[in-house]
Amino acid sequence: KKKDDSFVCTEDACPRPSPRVHASLTAIEVAGSAEGEAELILFGGEYYDGRRVQVFNDCFRLRIASSSSSPPGASRVEWRRVECKGGPKSRSAHSAVSVGQSVFVFGGEF
């Protein structure tokens, strides 16, 4: 991409995302990760409250970390909201794939 077409993203710690269905949850590589670390990217989805459908374009990073010194099954979970100017529009029932630390979103309903 040209320099002026690149995404500028920010991340902030946040509580877990609101309930939703038809979102994508994509595993990505963790740069410099230690054993027991994983990251997932949650994008989009929809929520139906019985009267109307709300379709999301929000993006969250979930980092799960455990260590060999932790009790079995114990891990640290951290949610971060990722905001990117020029990111995908709201959608649900889409597909997503990761390449390295990038996530590509395809199709879906708006």
Side-chain angles (χ1 to χ4, degrees):
K1 289 188 173 200
K2 292 183 239 171
K3 190 173 186 177
D4 56 332
D5 289 342
S6 63
F7 291 120
V8 176
C9 299
T10 59
E11 286 188 29
D12 293 303
C14 66
R16 71 175 183 229
S18 60
R20 62 193 65 209
V21 296
H22 307 299
S24 60
L25 188 63
T26 310
I28 62 168
E29 290 182 16
V30 180
S33 68
E35 186 177 333
E37 273 193 345
E39 283 192 358
L40 299 171
I41 300 294
L42 174 70
F43 175 74
E46 65 183 71
Y47 176 75
Y48 178 61
D49 67 4
R51 287 184 277 159
R52 69 182 190 101
V53 175
Q54 180 179 4
V55 182
F56 301 104
N57 77 327
D58 49 5
C59 184
F60 297 90
R61 179 187 302 262
L62 172 61
R63 176 170 277 185
I64 304 167
S66 62
S67 69
S68 57
S69 62
S70 300
S75 60
R76 189 181 84 243
V77 175
E78 177 188 25
W79 284 101
R80 298 186 67 80
R81 184 179 177 103
V82 180
E83 295 192 34
C84 297
K85 287 190 173 195
K89 294 182 179 180
S90 298
R91 65 189 66 217
S92 66
H94 56 279
S95 296
V97 64
S98 67
V99 177
Q101 292 186 307
S102 297
V103 175
F104 299 91
V105 177
F106 302 94
E109 300 175 344
F110 304 99

